[in-house]
Structure formats: C-alpha cells, structure tokens
Amino acid sequence: MLKQVGFAGLTLAFAAIGISAAAQQEVNIYSARHYQTDEALYTNFTKATGIQINRIEETDDKLLDRLKAEGPNSPADILIVVDAGRLWRAEQAGLLQPIKSKVLEERIPANLRHPEGQWFGFSTRARAIFYNKDLVKAGEIKSYEDLADPKWKGKICIRSSSNMYNLSLMSALIDRLGEEKAEAWAKGVVANFAREPKGGDSDQLLAASTGECAIALSNHYYYMRMVRSEKPEEKAAAAKLQIVWPNQDTIGTHTNISGAGILKNAPHKENAIKFLEYLASDAAQAYFANGNNEFPVVAKALNNPELKALGTFKADPVNVAVYGKNQPAAQKLYDRAGWK
Ligand code: FE
C-alpha cells in the first residue's frame, strides 16, 4: 500500500502563488505505520506547531530501498519503522544522523534508544509465548528455553528464521546465553516444530487455537488484535489461548521497539526534531502505542484497557541496539540449526 500526501503538489501550489517553498513549515515522514489512531497523532502536531506533515507509507523494507535509491536528494526527514533490527539496517546503510535532544533522552529509557542518538524507540512490543489451554497446563511453560524441551516434540508453531522478529530474538539470546547455548536452543526448538515454519505471527496463534500445535510464539499485539476483534471467530480463537510473559524468573521477556530516526540529509532537521519530541509527549505516546496495541515507552501514558488487563511483566533490560549488532550471527546460527 502506498499512501502519498502532498510533497510535490504542495510545493507547486506555493510556487504558483509566489511564496517560496522555504517559507513553508513542513516535515516529510517515511513511515511503515498505517494505523487509524495515527491520523490524530499527525493532525494534533500540525495544530500545535503549524508544521505541515507530508507522509509516505510503505512497508519497512520498501522504505529502506527507496531511501537508498533516492540518496542525498531524498526529501525525507524522518524514518519510522518497526523493530530495532530494521533501524540498525538503516543505520548500517548510513541513512541516519545522530540527534542530541534533552527531551528524548529524558523521556525515553536508555535501553530503548540508540546509544549515540541515531534512532529512538517510541513504543514497545513483547515476543510472548501462547499456549492452547486444552493442551497445556498453567505453569508448564515459562521461558524461551522451555520451547526447546523435548517434552514439546511436535508441539511448537513458530515462523521462519529470516523474519526480523525472530532474528532480533536470536540476537538477544546470543547476547544473553552466548552463541553455543543459543545454537543448542535453536536446534531444540527445530526438533519440536509441529510443522515447517510458514505464515506470520497471527498464523501461529490460529494454529495453536485449533490445536494444530499446542504452543506458539508471537508478538503480543497480534493476540491483542484477536482479543479486540469484532469477528466472533477471532475472539473465540483468542479465548482458546493463554499468554505467558517468558523468562520472568530470569532475564525478562524479549521486547522490541517501533522507532524513528532522522535522515542524514533531512531538509527540515529542526522540524524533524520537534516531531520526535512531540512523539515522546504523554498524549502522542498514547496514540502511537494504541495504534498497534503496543506499550508506550513513557509507561504512564498507557491507556489501553485490554492491554492493561494483561498485567505488568518484567522486560529484558538489554539495549535493543544489540539486536542489530548480532543480526548477521543470528541468521548464520539459525541456518546451522536447520531453522527454515
Ligand atoms: Fe508485526
């Protein structure tokens, strides 16, 4: 889906009535997000600052390709994507610039932003375990490590290893356990597959709800979508499942971010900083997180009743920048483990 608002059209309109484009306050955003509640997010910023927002919405990977193709002439000021692993890819491609902002440093926990300010997390997502309540007893599975226990042979549904969410999870496990143990874990999980990896996180949840497998791994918001769905069959599927926040007794649950960075050649850098600082405000935090049933990085901004109902949990406090750093090793490790 491509949704383009403004850009050339606006500039032309202003040229026609003799106002220079430079006088026009604007900021250009390339975003991988496309949620209803984001509309209010953008409108409120323009109302408060007078800065017009122009947006291009595309999938994460397409945005990165587009930015690389546009090079130094790109009109983009801000890149918004999901997963620290993708922000790392943008960083590696030299697309971003480091930003110093007291507001961002104070509002966003240090482990949820790049150490030198190349990108910042604005919401978090947890990679959780889900089990079918008819097939697994409460307390039987508590950790990522448990997924590799031979007692779950033929019971686990999980997506492919090339998927960014699984790459980031493995990057974190490498950091926490070391490569050797992480590889033994991956082999153990592969031995427990109920089926060859296929589909996205929602497909794993559905398979667990029908009993095709007993246990699935998924980001929490796919489950929340089912819980909040208006389709009775999706609500019923969610009711079959129990969420487990993994590793509460050890390292904490693996979490990732939706985040943003300012592009190296941003034509409106000051406006872009203003927008990121706005995203860290209480009001914007609630909109940003709720769009996808994620957790705001400013914890007190959480106002999603269904999400609150899941209760609090301990998140792995590792700096999410590690996910990118270990990404190449993670993919190699998955390949050695035979995880398709
Ligand atoms: Fe997702």
Side-chain angles (χ1 to χ4, degrees):
M1 181 196 64
L2 181 79
K3 183 176 170 188
Q4 189 155 356
V5 195
F7 279 67
L10 268 179
T11 312
L12 272 180
F14 275 88
I17 53 171
I19 299 169
S20 88
Q24 182 196 341
Q25 284 297 313
E26 63 179 2
V27 66
N28 298 328
I29 300 177
Y30 282 15
S31 173
R33 289 169 56 94
H34 41 264
Y35 306 117
Q36 275 303 318
T37 49
D38 284 5
E39 295 303 325
L41 190 71
Y42 297 122
T43 316
N44 290 350
F45 175 73
T46 302
K47 259 190 225 156
T49 61
I51 299 168
Q52 175 75 37
I53 293 175
N54 306 308
R55 261 181 303 152
I56 285 181
E57 293 183 348
E58 253 300 355
T59 60
D60 308 75
D61 295 331
K62 282 188 183 160
L63 287 178
L64 289 184
D65 288 345
R66 183 176 180 136
L67 285 164
K68 284 180 205 161
E70 287 173 345
N73 297 323
S74 173
D77 295 301
I78 294 173
L79 173 69
I80 302 178
V81 292
V82 301
D83 205 295
R86 289 205 183 87
L87 288 161
W88 176 79
R89 282 185 181 174
E91 179 195 332
Q92 287 301 105
L95 296 172
L96 303 174
Q97 62 172 304
I99 295 298
K100 268 266 169 242
S101 158
K102 245 193 152 60
V103 174
L104 295 176
E105 280 155 31
E106 278 170 18
R107 303 275 298 170
I108 303 171
N111 68 312
L112 302 177
R113 50 183 162 84
H114 184 274
E116 276 95 48
Q118 296 249 8
W119 42 260
F120 301 84
F122 291 98
S123 62
T124 65
R125 56 260 310 281
R127 200 133 182 81
I129 293 171
F130 297 84
Y131 65 79
N132 183 313
K133 289 187 264 189
D134 297 334
L135 303 173
V136 177
K137 289 198 247 357
E140 266 193 297
I141 183 152
K142 293 168 83 175
S143 67
Y144 300 111
E145 288 87 337
D146 288 345
L147 294 170
D149 187 324
K151 96 185 231 197
W152 302 118
K153 193 165 179 55
K155 303 285 188 202
I156 310 267
C157 277
I158 186 165
R159 70 198 293 181
S160 80
S161 66
S162 59
N163 166 256
M164 188 58 78
Y165 305 154
N166 280 345
L167 281 172
S168 289
L169 172 65
M170 178 52 77
S171 298
L173 290 174
I174 289 172
D175 187 72
R176 292 313 204 186
L177 307 173
E179 276 206 44
E180 209 171 300
K181 280 189 182 156
E183 185 165 338
W185 175 81
K187 284 181 177 150
V189 177
V190 169
N192 287 343
F193 280 172
R195 58 181 192 183
E196 286 290 299
K198 60 173 180 183
D201 280 4
S202 295
D203 299 301
Q204 319 310 316
L205 292 174
L206 285 173
S209 75
T210 62
E212 187 182 349
C213 39
I215 295 160
L217 194 74
S218 168
N219 284 354
H220 80 279
Y221 52 83
Y222 292 103
Y223 169 70
M224 291 303 298
R225 270 181 216 168
M226 290 163 67
V227 169
R228 301 182 77 177
S229 173
E230 270 152 31
K231 293 184 187 150
E233 66 273 19
E234 287 182 0
K235 263 193 149 35
K240 285 280 189 193
L241 302 173
Q242 173 64 46
I243 186 170
V244 176
W245 302 119
N247 295 62
Q248 292 305 284
D249 302 331
T250 55
I251 56 175
T253 297
H254 173 73
T255 57
N256 210 316
I257 55 169
S258 283
I262 296 183
L263 293 149
K264 193 157 98 191
N265 301 299
H268 314 93
K269 181 178 168 185
E270 293 311 312
N271 291 350
I273 293 173
K274 276 186 200 156
F275 183 75
L276 293 195
E277 291 178 345
Y278 160 77
L279 278 188
S281 68
D282 284 359
Q285 274 286 291
Y287 281 122
F288 193 87
N290 283 344
N292 191 29
N293 293 302
E294 291 180 89
F295 298 96
V297 292
V298 177
K300 66 176 177 181
L302 178 64
N303 71 348
N304 179 330
E306 284 91 347
L307 201 49
K308 270 187 176 166
L310 293 185
T312 54
F313 64 94
K314 180 172 100 179
D316 183 350
V318 70
N319 189 302
V320 295
V322 158
Y323 307 163
K325 198 184 76 191
N326 289 344
Q327 196 180 106
Q331 186 63 70
K332 280 188 207 136
L333 191 156
Y334 274 135
D335 291 345
R336 287 198 301 274
W339 187 319
K340 298 266 163 60

